[in-house]
Amino acid sequence: MPEGRVYIINSPDLALSVQRCPTKISFWHVEALFTGRLAGLGPFAAKALAHNIDGNDGQPSYLREGMTNAHSAMKPGDSLTDVTRASLELLTPLIGELGHNNNSQIELGNWVTKVLMASITGGIFGPQSPYRDQQIADAFWYVFNLVIYSKSAVIMESRSFQDNAAGLMSLPFPRLFCSKSYTAREKLAVAFERYYAVRGYDSASRWVRGATKISDSYGISDKDKARIDISNSHATLANTIPAAFWTIYHIFSDPTLLDELRSALIPFLTIREQNDITAYELDISHIRNVPILRSVLSEVLRHYANGTGTRIVVEDIMLDNRYFLKQGSFVFMPNRSYHFNSSIWGPTVNVFDARRFMSFKPPSGSFRPFGGGANLCPGRFFAMNGILAISAMLALRYDISPATGDWVHPGIDDSNMTLLVHPSKAKTAVKIIPRQNSSNGNWTFKVS
């Protein structure tokens, strides 16, 4: 564990300087350190993960090969198309269930969590995903302290800050000092061990299949592969789900924005009559290019992706030829310093402006929801596909309004240190009414 000084980078220009030194001011060392602790890796796997992290001199590096695989599998191309299609095939009927009752009520955050967890993990881990078991899904949310209510029961009662992922990463003897999260993590690990025992990864995404092959080449056991997948689950779910909630919330709480978005989506919707059944096909292949939809999501990420990027100083370095950073120290880069800097974003910096990104391109380093440089999030395209797809189909199919009264912002829960995107603090009860001429028929996503 690094000791000594902590450096806080509040300047976007200095954040760019940090990006230019990825092997000396390293995110990969942070990932290796905290993945091992969070997942409870055995000594062999932890050593393999920490060995030659920078991939120096062309020598083997387990961590770097894994990251290269993730970036390759999740960049725009056939692999991303395949995992997006698999995910959305699971998502479509879950969205359709909302229309079974003419005036149903749901808790929006809970519903978004449920359907995106099912579709994201199903797309990534395949039809034998351990998360198909609701008890395993509940165990995940307990470990990461991310959601208040499950479909079946309350799964996050009031408890100490330490008894969650932060405790597993930072406290000695987690079995004693954060026992409930430890138990939930072990339940997840057993479920993923079964997944590997039956070769569930054979029908998973290219990312998972590639990661399994790399792990096998380094002699990583099924037990430790299972634990690494717990950490990977956090990477795919923890920030995507609250970002989706906030996108949906802001779209439906602003009637003018909702009308504008619906009009912009019409060119992407094909309607056909097939055997007296209306077929609706929403093409999301280029949905990221819809200016108003992309702008809403970007503004959501500016407002709510305000966690802190962390790096470890691997060797002494003079940053930007001005600041000496000592080996073994932490570097923190708080997004809030960049996303709410009035000298960059202007006098409306504290206002949620859904159209802001339609007319403004932020300077380099000032907008960092997915990190930057060599450490850009490899899953960012997959995450955006899912968020924009669920938002677009909901906008076209349903009217969503508060269960009682007017829309009230639920507040931001910024208590979880493991998150970059902060979830809502209060519940948001809403009623769902199918739109006229869109409630009947078959709806599908087109992904190409």
Side-chain angles (χ1 to χ4, degrees):
M1 173 71 74
E3 298 178 354
R5 301 183 180 182
V6 171
Y7 303 99
I8 299 175
I9 307 294
N10 288 316
S11 161
D13 290 337
L14 286 180
L16 291 174
S17 296
V18 170
Q19 286 179 197
R20 298 185 190 106
C21 311
T23 60
K24 296 181 179 180
I25 308 174
S26 173
F27 172 74
W28 298 310
H29 284 74
V30 176
E31 184 170 12
L33 174 66
F34 287 104
T35 295
R37 288 174 176 247
L38 174 65
L41 292 182
F44 179 84
K47 184 177 180 179
L49 197 65
H51 176 70
N52 193 25
I53 290 174
D54 298 321
N56 293 327
D57 302 322
Q59 296 300 308
S61 171
Y62 178 41
L63 187 145
R64 291 296 292 274
E65 285 189 42
M67 290 301 298
T68 299
N69 170 66
H71 279 280
S72 176
M74 302 302 265
K75 69 182 181 181
D78 291 343
S79 177
L80 176 65
T81 297
D82 290 343
V83 69
T84 299
R85 182 183 295 113
S87 177
L88 296 186
E89 286 176 355
L90 296 170
L91 179 62
T92 305
L94 297 174
I95 295 175
E97 289 176 0
L98 292 175
H100 291 173
N101 298 316
N102 191 46
N103 191 352
S104 59
Q105 292 192 14
I106 60 170
E107 199 288 305
L108 185 60
N110 185 47
W111 181 82
V112 171
T113 298
K114 173 190 170 185
V115 301
L116 285 185
M117 182 169 202
S119 61
I120 289 171
T121 58
I124 290 173
F125 294 111
Q128 297 192 65
S129 166
Y131 294 112
R132 294 180 67 185
D133 183 337
Q134 185 61 49
Q135 290 188 349
I136 301 305
D138 288 355
F140 174 85
W141 295 122
Y142 195 94
V143 170
F144 292 102
N145 197 9
L146 298 179
V147 71
I148 300 176
Y149 294 96
S150 161
K151 181 180 179 181
S152 55
V154 176
I155 59 173
M156 192 189 81
E157 71 261 26
S158 176
R159 56 197 169 100
S160 66
F161 165 78
Q162 288 81 8
D163 197 7
N164 54 34
L168 291 174
M169 289 189 294
S170 60
L171 293 177
F173 310 112
R175 188 171 186 173
L176 297 176
F177 293 108
C178 48
S179 59
K180 293 180 180 179
S181 287
Y182 178 90
T183 300
R185 184 190 69 186
E186 296 308 296
K187 189 173 185 176
L188 286 169
V190 169
F192 268 104
E193 285 183 56
R194 290 196 296 266
Y195 173 78
Y196 281 99
V198 300
R199 298 181 64 90
Y201 54 85
D202 282 340
S203 54
S205 65
R206 184 184 137 189
W207 173 34
V208 172
R209 297 197 309 273
T212 302
K213 185 176 180 180
I214 292 168
S215 292
D216 287 343
S217 73
Y218 280 84
I220 305 300
S221 67
D222 285 356
K223 181 177 180 179
D224 281 316
K225 282 185 283 190
R227 292 173 178 274
I228 290 171
D229 278 335
I230 297 172
S231 179
N232 287 338
S233 298
H234 178 268
T236 57
L237 294 167
N239 296 302
T240 303
I241 287 175
F245 167 83
W246 288 119
T247 303
I248 295 164
Y249 169 83
H250 280 285
I251 287 172
F252 282 94
S253 62
D254 184 338
T256 303
L257 171 61
L258 179 58
D259 288 343
E260 183 178 347
L261 176 59
R262 285 170 171 165
S263 297
L265 291 171
I266 292 300
F268 297 86
L269 183 66
T270 301
I271 304 174
R272 299 186 182 93
E273 295 296 329
Q274 298 178 347
N275 300 323
D276 297 326
I277 297 176
T278 306
Y280 301 87
E281 184 181 68
L282 179 58
D283 187 348
I284 69 150
S285 303
H286 304 288
I287 203 168
R288 289 197 304 271
N289 298 326
V290 177
I292 184 61
L293 187 55
R294 187 181 181 97
S295 181
V296 174
L297 176 55
S298 295
E299 183 71 344
V300 162
L301 295 173
R302 185 184 76 85
H303 253 257
Y304 302 104
N306 286 311
T308 298
T310 305
R311 305 288 186 270
I312 291 174
V313 182
V314 178
E315 61 181 81
D316 291 352
I317 183 173
M318 187 68 72
L319 182 65
D320 199 37
N321 295 318
R322 290 185 292 167
Y323 302 102
F324 176 74
L325 307 187
K326 186 174 178 58
Q327 178 183 358
S329 301
F330 272 118
V331 172
F332 292 152
M333 296 184 289
N335 275 359
R336 188 167 186 85
S337 295
Y338 319 129
H339 293 179
F340 284 85
N341 185 329
S342 60
S343 66
I344 296 170
W345 302 94
T348 62
V349 64
N350 294 316
V351 176
F352 186 94
D353 180 357
R355 299 162 188 81
R356 184 186 302 274
F357 285 81
M358 295 175 70
S359 58
F360 177 73
K361 182 178 180 180
S364 297
S366 61
F367 184 55
R368 302 178 53 82
F370 297 109
N375 301 125
L376 269 171
C377 171
R380 63 194 184 278
F381 298 109
F382 178 62
M384 286 192 291
N385 283 349
I387 294 169
L388 298 178
I390 189 174
S391 301
M393 186 169 277
L394 286 174
L396 290 172
R397 295 188 66 174
Y398 300 107
D399 289 319
I400 301 178
S401 59
T404 59
D406 299 324
W407 287 101
V408 176
H409 193 283
I412 302 171
D413 180 2
D414 58 3
S415 64
N416 193 326
M417 292 176 60
T418 68
L419 293 180
L420 184 66
V421 182
H422 299 308
S424 61
K425 181 178 290 186
K427 293 186 290 183
T428 302
V430 297
K431 56 185 178 183
I432 311 290
I433 301 176
R435 296 181 69 206
Q436 189 175 9
N437 299 325
S438 65
S439 57
N440 298 318
N442 294 328
W443 283 77
T444 58
F445 288 106
K446 178 182 178 181
V447 186
S448 60

